[in-house]
């Protein structure tokens, strides 16, 4: 049986953040106070490729703070790739916690098909 699921991503899992950055070959995220252009935020700093300032994840609220100056200081595509990877990692972690297996397949359009085998 097949089900298609749309996931609205809130970034709340540090393990999934670490796995997502590792899979995307990004620097290891760090926790602390981070300077954005004219503000400071506390949380997990995720340095995306070619972004001037990191994205800051508050895992308590699931919120991301960033300043990419409407794409001039960082491509939205990089953030979208991180969120996609985070969602896949988080779903995989949860599936495995419940004793299921997860198999992912990259599709030509850039999306990722994740198949959860219940009980397997």
């Amino acid at each position: 049986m097949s089900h298609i699921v749309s996931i609205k991503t809130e970034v709340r899992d540090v393990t999934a953040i670490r796995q997502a950055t590792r899979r995307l070959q990004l620097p290891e995220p760090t926790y602390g106070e981070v300077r954005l252009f004219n503000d400071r935020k506390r949380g997990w700093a995720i340095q995306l490729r070619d972004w001037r300032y990191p994205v800051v994840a508050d895992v308590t609220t699931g919120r991301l703070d960033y300043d990419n100056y409407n794409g001039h200081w960082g491509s939205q595509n990089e953030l979208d790739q991180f969120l996609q990877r985070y969602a896949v990692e988080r779903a995989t972690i949860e599936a495995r916690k419940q004793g299921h297996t997860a198999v992912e397949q990259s599709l030509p359009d850039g999306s990722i098909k994740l198949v959860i085998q219940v009980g397997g």
Side-chain angles (χ1 to χ4, degrees), residues 3 16 19 31 41 43-44 64 81 94 98-99 104-105 109:
H3 299 276
Q19 288 181 354
Y31 184 83
K41 297 290 181 182
W44 286 93
L64 293 178
Q81 281 186 329
E94 195 58 39
Q98 296 180 26
E104 68 177 75
Q105 177 184 4
D109 66 357

Side-chain angles (χ1 to χ4, degrees), residues 18-84:
R18 290 180 193 271
Q19 288 181 354
T21 57
R22 208 169 294 132
R23 292 283 303 270
L24 293 172
Q25 299 180 347
L26 298 172
E28 184 77 13
T30 57
Y31 184 83
E33 187 171 290
V34 176
R35 180 181 159 261
L36 301 178
F37 175 67
N38 62 356
D39 201 0
R40 300 186 82 76
K41 297 290 181 182
R42 177 166 290 280
W44 286 93
I46 302 152
Q47 186 63 56
L48 300 177
R49 208 173 329 279
D50 299 325
W51 275 51
R52 182 175 291 185
Y53 300 104
V55 172
V56 182
D58 180 339
V59 296
T60 304
T61 63
R63 177 182 160 155
L64 293 178
D65 288 303
Y66 60 91
D67 187 350
N68 70 344
Y69 192 46
N70 297 320
H72 296 284
W73 294 342
S75 166
Q76 180 66 38
N77 187 45
E78 292 293 324
L79 179 57
D80 293 344
Q81 281 186 329
F82 170 75
L83 290 173
Q84 177 190 49

